[in-house]
Amino acid sequence: MFRAPLRSFSTSTKKTLRIGLIPADGIGKEVIPAAKKAIIALGSDIPKPEFIDLVAGWECFTRTGVALPEETVEILQNECDCALFGSVSSPSRKVVGYSSPIVALRKKLDLYANIRPVVSVAPEAGQQPSVDLIVVRENTECLYVKEETLTNGENGKEARATRLITERASRRIGQMAFELANSRPRKHLTIIHKSNVLSVTDGLFRETVRSVPSLPGVDGKFDGVTIAEQLVDSAVYRLFREPEIFDVMVAPNLYGDIISDAAAALVGSLGLIPSVNAGDNFIMGEPVHGSAPDIEGKGIANPLASIRSAALMLRHLGHIRGADRLDNAVDQVIREGQFLTPDLKGKSTTTEVLEAVLNKL
């Protein structure tokens, strides 16, 4: 079971824990409040939580013309120990002046690693899960630099997108991935790429990550980590056929996004998959699911990914007992199967699932 990003910056000696809450759009406004209640229920196992409500997202943009207010960024940087982010309803068409606030937040706060554990719940406590892997996604570049052009050419309109892969970003995410792999029993790392086609960009990513064990100052730290490689298309295929071969997977931004969403199918639902956006100075939990406009306001959104994201965030900050309690409570609710939302073939509401978790706590 995934336990902790190793670059923790402990807040365990603080009397209060200031948490920024950014529900943003769609079901984010339903699941982030649920995570807040779960955090409060931990009582003395964490410093007294103080919550700061912040805004960002498409709805914010439609009201104000700004998707990510500077005030939100400044408060996160200057007043918060950590944050929880909900979901964004970014339009599929181009809207002048709009850009995804979560992509912008990752860059502004230098949250260069998106860590997404995908773990199944074993039928009985103490048994090994059938799926236990982590997708480590580079969070700041690739196609997500959002540099696109539209011009007229001989064949009509031509759309182009810049894909940026740098040695610095690849090295940082590679080091994070090696540290995570080194902390796990199997100590196995798979580099995901498509360098047989994209030999320059993916080639740089692949070579840079492979070079991490030989960096100055590493001094044999990762000698016990075995390294494998997988082309991204075959990785998706093998993920469904034999997920047990994977332990830690490290990938550029776009591949990591796709792989982790696909892996969610192995454990039942995107509504179960947590993540943290991690940097060297800040941590922000974020459920992997989107804003789900088709179920917004119906009261059936799955809050478990947000609660697990809160657990990941707390674990990174050194509050291990509180994080364990949240994870164990979620595991018990899933294992018993009495209170599950429709994405898990259940009939319970968001509130009923939350109450079940709170009862386990």
Side-chain angles (χ1 to χ4, degrees):
M1 179 71 172
F2 176 76
R3 281 306 180 221
L6 299 184
R7 297 180 189 177
S8 70
F9 27 93
S10 177
T11 58
S12 57
T13 60
K14 290 191 173 185
K15 293 183 178 180
T16 61
L17 185 65
R18 294 175 64 83
I19 305 172
L21 297 180
I22 314 170
D25 302 318
I27 62 171
K29 292 177 290 186
E30 302 169 53
V31 297
I32 293 301
K36 174 183 175 179
K37 291 181 179 179
I39 291 171
I40 292 171
L42 293 175
S44 61
D45 281 331
I46 61 172
K48 181 181 178 181
E50 294 182 0
F51 299 95
I52 303 175
D53 295 320
L54 301 169
V55 296
W58 172 250
E59 292 180 24
C60 178
F61 177 81
T62 60
R63 291 195 312 269
T64 67
V66 178
L68 180 61
E70 281 301 320
E71 181 183 14
T72 293
V73 178
E74 290 172 2
I75 291 175
L76 288 172
Q77 291 174 327
N78 300 319
E79 300 182 29
C80 295
D81 299 304
C82 54
L84 284 173
F85 190 94
S87 57
V88 175
S89 296
S90 292
S92 56
R93 67 189 189 284
K94 179 177 176 58
V95 176
V96 176
Y98 178 82
S99 183
S100 171
I102 185 61
V103 173
L105 262 179
R106 291 165 179 166
K107 293 178 181 178
K108 287 180 180 291
L109 300 177
D110 198 25
L111 305 177
Y112 61 86
N114 191 245
I115 301 170
R116 298 181 168 187
V118 180
V119 184
S120 59
V121 175
E124 296 182 16
Q127 291 183 340
Q128 291 298 311
S130 57
V131 178
D132 185 359
L133 59 90
I134 306 173
V135 178
V136 183
R137 170 191 175 193
E138 201 290 316
N139 224 10
T140 63
E141 51 182 39
C142 191
L143 287 171
Y144 289 70
V145 296
K146 296 180 70 67
E147 295 179 7
E148 297 181 287
T149 59
L150 183 64
T151 59
N152 290 311
E154 294 181 0
N155 299 311
K157 291 182 179 180
E158 295 181 357
R160 298 177 184 271
T162 297
R163 183 175 193 251
L164 177 66
I165 300 290
T166 67
E167 187 177 25
R168 176 177 179 266
S170 301
R171 183 184 301 117
R172 289 203 300 179
I173 200 66
Q175 286 180 286
M176 181 73 80
F178 268 98
E179 288 173 7
L180 286 169
N182 198 43
S183 72
R184 289 165 64 85
R186 289 180 56 193
K187 298 183 184 297
H188 184 71
L189 177 65
T190 304
I191 304 170
I192 307 299
H193 60 82
K194 189 68 176 175
S195 60
N196 60 327
V197 176
L198 300 170
S199 58
V200 177
T201 50
D202 274 12
L204 177 61
F205 180 84
R206 170 188 173 274
E207 292 162 11
T208 303
V209 173
R210 286 198 72 99
S211 71
V212 165
S214 60
L215 289 173
V218 173
D219 300 326
K221 179 180 178 182
F222 303 129
D223 286 352
V225 177
T226 57
I227 306 171
E229 296 183 24
Q230 198 76 55
L231 298 179
V232 62
D233 45 352
S234 61
V236 173
Y237 174 77
R238 298 192 72 183
L239 196 59
F240 288 116
R241 290 295 300 266
E242 41 187 344
E244 69 279 359
I245 72 170
F246 295 110
D247 184 20
V248 176
M249 307 168 75
V250 61
N253 207 334
L254 179 62
Y255 301 159
D257 196 1
I258 294 170
I259 286 172
S260 55
D261 280 13
L266 298 171
V267 297
S269 171
L270 275 171
L272 296 177
I273 307 301
S275 80
V276 285
N277 298 278
D280 295 329
N281 301 296
F282 200 76
I283 185 84
M284 181 168 67
E286 178 195 4
V288 170
H289 62 68
S291 60
D294 57 322
I295 62 169
E296 179 184 357
K298 295 182 179 180
I300 56 172
N302 191 338
L304 297 182
S306 288
I307 295 171
R308 281 207 189 278
S309 295
L312 276 180
M313 179 187 73
L314 292 172
R315 194 179 302 284
H316 192 108
L317 294 172
H319 306 297
I320 306 302
R321 176 169 166 75
D324 283 346
R325 286 183 62 201
L326 287 179
D327 279 331
N328 291 338
V330 170
D331 284 352
Q332 289 178 57
V333 170
I334 295 172
R335 189 176 290 118
E336 291 175 5
Q338 183 179 357
F339 296 100
L340 299 175
T341 43
D343 59 305
L344 293 172
K345 303 187 186 306
K347 297 181 179 180
S348 300
T349 65
T350 306
T351 300
E352 288 170 339
V353 174
L354 171 62
E355 289 299 325
V357 172
L358 296 180
N359 287 336
K360 298 300 180 185
L361 290 173

